[in-house]
Amino acid sequence: MGYRLLRRFARLLLALFYRRVEVVGAERIPATGPLIVAANHQNALVDPMMLLGTVPRRLRPIAKAPLFRHPLVGPFLRLTGALPVHRRQDPGSDPARNEAIFREAAGTLATGGAILIFPEGVSQAEPTLMPLRTGAARLALAAESASGGRLGLILLPVGLVYHEPGRFRTGWSLTLIGEPLPLADAVALYRTAPEAAVRRVTDRLAEALGQLIVEARDRKLLRLAEVAEAIWRAESSGPGDVAARAEWVKMAIRGYRYLLTREPARIEALMRATERYAKDLELAGLTDRQLAQTYPAAVVWRYAWREGLSLLGGLPLGLWGVLSHALPYQLTRAAVRLARPDPDVEATYKIVAGVVLYPLGWLLEGWIAWRLGGGWLLALFSLALLPAGFLALTWWERLSRVGREVRGFFRFLVDRDFQRRLLARRHALMEELTALARQVPGRVLVGGSSSEGQ
């Protein structure tokens, strides 16, 4: 019961924080039987929250021991049945205790349970896969070996992909469930050469995770690849779902690596031009979709009428929702700013701070309502709090979107040639992307379809 409530709570928090949360390949998760879920680790405590909410089975996470002493995180870890791993670099940890933890994890698998592990062993913000530690492979092979190879354990690689992972209601997440890794040959090898078998499975897992995630040199390269994907999608009317976008970015980064030593000058020029284009588009308050639109008077009036009525209709409750949540929002914002978290823990800090400070802010506001109007005003405030909050979220997002679109429209009015110049730059970038893509061996996306490179 407690685990199910925790799982629903995690899903609610993530759905509120991220604009989109999507899963691909969920059908590969076995309904029963021993399972190890092995995922990449780039977003601190958000990663296990994402998988606890995604995988429709009870998972026992393996987490670093200091987290169990955290006053907020520790209780949640214990509720999931998490297992503490003791690392030499963590103060107060005793690595000698890991043997008992390993046995407990193996026992969970032997009884058909599921383990969640992050084989990189550390969370880091850069979009690249760190060298894997051997814990996942050792656990899988030891459990299978203890059963004589009859356990039927599934080692499932999972790739976690984020866009703007630390930004509230701006980022999105994608969970990619990979194919189960073959283990039979490594289990046989484990009897005579355990270290070689462990290395084989670890290498296999690293290759699988590398294929699933969007792996870039740094966050700047990832950002430019995402801009290039948006250009390609706008120019070719390509699919807009998150999975297709992530796949295109992965292919673009592989092409970048291939061409960097062969066409360095063209690649550098393309990156500079893409960066300038993205900056000008952002300053204008436009998206690639809006850039190609036309704005005849009838369309503008219909848009203004429709959006204006919608915003005015939702104004009273929207403003009430914004005002009633302003105090906890500002408290959370101030707390995160003071903490100055690293990029890989920014989302975690915001979510944890919100879980604590929003209820405290609501209690304070409720007390003020009671002091001002007595029980009836407190009751009204309490009943309207959550509905008004959800309405305020959608109303504020709509207001922000309309504000950006109006700013872009007025930019077109002030500079009649602005749209044509930006579109010409986008066409030129698309032509260069297409020309470079044709030089990359293998299958690449060009002009909205898959085609063989030369």
Side-chain angles (χ1 to χ4, degrees):
M1 181 65 176
Y3 184 88
R4 288 197 297 270
L5 289 175
L6 178 61
R7 185 170 182 264
R8 290 172 185 166
F9 185 55
R11 293 175 70 175
L12 173 64
L13 288 178
L14 293 170
L16 287 173
F17 191 85
Y18 289 112
R19 183 164 46 91
R20 296 173 72 178
V21 177
E22 297 194 9
V23 182
V24 175
E27 69 281 358
R28 295 176 180 142
I29 302 171
T32 59
L35 171 69
I36 297 177
V37 174
N40 63 305
H41 203 12
Q42 293 180 1
N43 204 1
L45 292 180
V46 173
D47 290 341
M49 286 176 61
M50 191 68 66
L51 290 168
L52 291 175
T54 296
V55 177
R57 289 186 57 177
R58 179 163 190 150
L59 296 176
R60 294 194 73 180
I62 294 179
K64 58 185 180 181
L67 289 176
F68 288 77
R69 300 191 289 271
H70 193 283
L72 295 177
V73 178
F76 288 101
L77 288 175
R78 295 185 187 93
L79 192 58
T80 66
L83 300 169
V85 62
H86 299 267
R87 306 183 305 176
R88 288 184 177 85
Q89 65 266 37
D90 294 330
S93 292
D94 181 11
R97 299 172 62 185
N98 286 334
E99 187 175 345
I101 299 301
F102 189 86
R103 285 197 303 269
E104 188 173 353
T108 297
L109 295 171
T111 56
I115 296 291
L116 169 61
I117 189 169
F118 297 95
E120 291 169 283
V122 64
S123 171
Q124 52 86 33
E126 295 303 321
T128 185
L129 191 67
M130 299 282 282
L132 301 193
R133 301 183 183 185
T134 58
R138 291 185 188 279
L139 182 57
L141 293 174
E144 275 292 355
S145 179
S147 70
R150 296 185 299 271
L151 187 59
L153 182 144
I154 299 295
L155 178 55
L156 200 64
V158 175
L160 297 172
V161 179
Y162 297 94
H163 169 76
E164 300 286 0
R167 297 187 63 183
F168 177 67
R169 300 304 295 174
T170 298
W172 49 255
S173 75
L174 172 63
T175 302
L176 293 164
I177 313 295
E179 295 283 354
L181 297 185
L183 294 175
D185 59 325
V187 171
L189 179 63
Y190 189 74
R191 300 187 188 101
T192 56
E195 290 303 318
V198 165
R199 176 47 53 194
R200 180 180 296 183
V201 173
T202 302
D203 290 345
R204 199 171 282 170
L205 178 59
E207 182 180 0
L209 289 175
Q211 292 294 321
L212 286 170
I213 70 172
V214 177
E215 193 171 12
R217 179 189 63 201
D218 51 42
R219 299 186 71 81
K220 179 181 178 181
L221 175 59
L222 178 60
R223 169 63 182 150
L224 290 177
E226 291 173 340
V227 172
E229 185 278 329
I231 292 171
W232 167 82
R233 183 161 30 93
E235 289 284 318
S236 63
S237 300
D241 63 280
V242 169
R245 293 170 64 181
E247 184 61 29
W248 196 97
V249 170
K250 283 193 283 187
M251 297 173 71
I253 291 173
R254 290 173 195 152
Y256 163 84
R257 294 193 191 107
Y258 176 82
L259 291 168
L260 188 59
T261 57
R262 293 166 175 82
E263 296 276 7
R266 288 180 69 181
I267 289 293
E268 185 62 29
L270 177 63
M271 292 182 68
R272 287 198 304 268
T274 302
E275 190 171 12
R276 288 195 299 270
Y277 166 81
K279 184 176 181 180
D280 289 344
L281 199 66
E282 183 180 2
L283 288 174
L286 296 168
T287 66
D288 280 286
R289 179 183 61 82
Q290 296 161 350
L291 186 59
Q293 291 179 345
T294 57
Y295 296 91
V299 172
V300 172
W301 281 113
R302 280 199 302 270
Y303 173 86
W305 181 256
R306 183 184 69 248
E307 297 296 334
L309 282 180
S310 177
L311 288 171
L312 284 174
L315 180 62
L317 285 177
L319 278 181
W320 168 248
V322 170
L323 291 173
S324 62
H325 292 77
L327 176 61
Y329 177 82
Q330 293 299 334
L331 287 174
T332 301
R333 186 179 181 185
V336 173
R337 281 188 173 180
L338 285 173
R340 301 176 65 181
D342 292 331
D344 66 310
V345 296
E346 183 179 0
T348 298
Y349 272 63
K350 289 180 178 179
I351 290 174
V352 171
V355 167
V356 174
L357 295 175
Y358 266 76
L360 290 177
W362 293 334
L363 286 173
L364 177 58
E365 290 174 336
W367 178 81
I368 294 172
W370 175 72
R371 294 286 294 179
L372 292 176
W376 71 269
L377 186 57
L378 174 60
L380 181 62
F381 171 80
S382 302
L383 289 172
L385 186 62
L386 291 182
F390 284 110
L391 179 61
L393 192 60
T394 56
W395 182 82
W396 189 261
E397 287 179 346
R398 189 169 197 145
L399 179 64
S400 301
R401 175 179 56 80
V402 171
R404 289 193 303 270
E405 290 175 348
V406 169
R407 182 156 57 99
F409 173 69
F410 277 106
R411 179 63 187 268
F412 289 164
L413 288 181
V414 172
D415 184 353
R416 296 283 183 170
D417 205 37
F418 178 74
Q419 183 180 23
R420 184 196 63 78
R421 293 198 307 272
L422 268 185
L423 274 174
R425 289 166 62 186
R426 192 176 80 183
H427 294 330
L429 287 170
M430 180 64 176
E431 289 177 0
E432 181 67 349
L433 281 168
T434 303
L436 287 169
R438 295 189 188 282
Q439 299 184 35
V440 181
R443 299 184 67 80
V444 294
L445 286 172
V446 177
S449 61
S450 293
S451 61
E452 289 294 336
Q454 301 296 322

